[in-house]
Amino acid sequence: MIIRIQNLFPVVMLSGAFSLLSAALFVSMDAVDVAFTEAAVGAGIATVLYLSAISLTGAIEKPPSGSRAIPLLVMTGLAAMLLYGTADMPAYGDANAPAHIHLMPEYITGTRTQIGIPNIVSSILASYRGFDTLGETGVIFTAGAGVLLLLRRGRPRRELANQGGNE
Amino acid sequence: MKHHLILLMAAKLMIPPILLFALYVQFHGDYGPGGGFQAGVIFASAFILYGLVFGLDELRRVAPLSAVTKLMAAGWGLYIGVGYAGVATGGMFLDYGRLSSDPIAGQHTGIFLVELGVGMAVASTMLAIYQCFAAHQSRELTDDEW
């Protein structure tokens, strides 16, 4: 449904609703931390940012130029590859999945003996994989700095140019 | 926006609980679900709601962009600082165990500070991005345009 709409406002609303739905999905998979993030970022802040981007650029999608066959082919190929990839994934909740048997038991016992906090997710994110999280925070910082560099100065350039022409 | 009385009142009622919940998620992250990133986003969303309903000028009064950008750097700096504190106390980078005489208490301190840094950086980055986007709105949108 989302891909057939040309007006971008309903598209933003629908993707926000989709985000909220996937947050509910994460909750039902017991991934509450991810659900938190998805609900706050995907359904909340991203929707607001999309809306402000729309109000800056315009809400109607331009009709596509050129042939649609090549993008369709690429996307079909990509989808086929991804579907092929999922065939090898371990079943959901499989206790013998590689992700569960390699380092996870160490983390689970270590969280109790070495770190002493009940939330294993926090102990992995902040302590065992502190370097990762440092990098992630850096990514967020860099993204913010990039937006600041591009958009900080008051009004868009087009408007300034128009003003110059009127004088 | 001035005539949207219900929206104004609803936002006024909702913002304090959202902020409180963000602080809860931040400081209870060791014990329940949540952590710096989630808390930062929730914290920022309260401010963004404020900005949406009361306008960008009001938001700028509460959270000026200059302060927000400093907080961005301070958050990441706090994280890196905790990392070097591990080095300074004779351990490795991001080695929290040495931050206190008891390694487990040190881990607690380290995780607390690191999550605080993440929360500060995330909240202020989201706010900065929102403010940048909103500042480019050249005119007030009327209700029928949506």
Side-chain angles (χ1 to χ4, degrees), chain B residues 34-48:
Chain B
F37 188 86
Q38 289 87 345
V41 177
I42 296 171
F43 202 76
S45 70
F47 278 92
I48 290 178

Side-chain angles (χ1 to χ4, degrees), chain A residues 135-153:
Chain A
E136 279 163 22
T137 315
V139 168
I140 292 165
F141 177 81
T142 317
V147 171
L148 279 169
L149 282 174
L150 285 171
L151 293 179
R152 184 165 199 173
R153 304 243 168 82

Side-chain angles (χ1 to χ4, degrees), chain B residues 10 13 47 63 70 132 135 140:
Chain B
L13 283 177
F47 278 92
K70 286 190 186 88
C132 284
E140 190 101 345

